């Protein structure tokens, strides 16, 4: 907490009945009780960008780490979260926090000779969970 805040960046869904929103709300509640410097924001969803960014701005530390909470650190992470100022009406999350005089960090990994944002799919333990659940589903069939 003394070093900065962490913003878990999820995709989310604008549909309230989708199970991921319940999961994110529960995780947000748990994290906010245990870690006062960890916030969840969704590109689309119940836990909004504004809530997460306002919480990060209110944190007295300067450093903010975005943690992709998506399987792939693709288009949303590259553009909506880490994009440069393109003059659009809604700046990327990075640009908004830079304007608030925060420093930005995001986990990356070297892959095939290039640097990639580290989505959950690049974490071997997460892939083991996916494979196990696919195997369980196939066994039920």
């Amino acid at each position: 907490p003394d070093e900065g805040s962490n913003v878990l960046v999820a995709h989310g869904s604008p549909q309230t009945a989708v199970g991921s929103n319940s999961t994110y709300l529960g995780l947000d509640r748990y994290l906010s009780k245990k870690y006062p410097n960890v916030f969840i924001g969704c590109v689309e969803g119940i836990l909004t960008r504004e809530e997460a960014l306002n919480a990060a701005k209110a944190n007295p530390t300067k450093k903010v780490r975005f943690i992709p909470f998506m399987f792939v650190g693709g288009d949303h992470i590259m553009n909506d979260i880490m994009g440069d100022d393109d003059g659009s009406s809604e700046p990327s999350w990075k640009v908004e926090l830079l304007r608030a005089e925060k420093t930005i960090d995001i986990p990356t990994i070297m892959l095939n000779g290039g640097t990639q944002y580290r989505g959950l799919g690049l974490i071997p333990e997460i892939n083991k969970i996916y494979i196990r659940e696919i195997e369980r589903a196939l066994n039920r069939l």
Side-chain angles (χ1 to χ4, degrees):
D2 296 340
E3 293 180 35
S5 57
N6 298 285
V7 177
L8 276 67
V9 181
H11 191 280
S13 173
Q15 300 170 338
T16 57
V18 174
S20 62
N21 284 322
S22 298
T23 301
Y24 295 146
L25 288 167
L27 182 60
D28 181 61
R29 183 174 189 278
Y30 172 80
L31 291 173
S32 68
K33 301 271 186 215
K34 192 164 176 113
Y35 305 102
N37 66 321
V38 178
F39 318 107
I40 300 177
C42 295
V43 177
E44 302 172 13
I46 304 302
L47 295 172
T48 65
R49 152 203 176 106
E50 291 77 20
E51 290 171 316
L53 295 182
N54 287 340
K57 288 176 192 176
N59 189 295
T61 60
K62 289 290 184 190
K63 183 178 178 181
V64 177
R65 172 170 266 203
F66 291 124
I67 301 172
F69 205 59
M70 299 179 196
F71 196 73
V72 175
D75 181 64
H76 284 305
I77 300 299
M78 290 186 292
N79 298 307
D80 299 327
I81 308 308
M82 294 299 292
D84 292 321
D85 189 4
D86 62 2
S88 66
S89 61
E90 185 171 76
S92 72
W93 296 28
K94 175 184 89 173
V95 167
E96 187 169 332
L97 288 180
L98 289 174
R99 289 177 183 167
E101 300 181 357
K102 299 289 185 174
T103 61
I104 307 304
D105 181 21
I106 188 168
T108 58
I109 188 170
M110 290 299 294
L111 184 66
N112 298 328
T115 303
Q116 303 287 320
Y117 294 120
R118 189 173 185 196
L120 295 175
L122 294 175
I123 301 172
E125 295 80 6
I126 297 294
N127 285 314
K128 288 178 185 175
I129 293 169
Y130 268 85
I131 291 167
R132 183 183 68 222
E133 292 305 313
I134 290 169
E135 288 172 341
R136 286 181 181 173
L138 288 172
N139 286 334
R140 285 192 299 267
L141 292 175

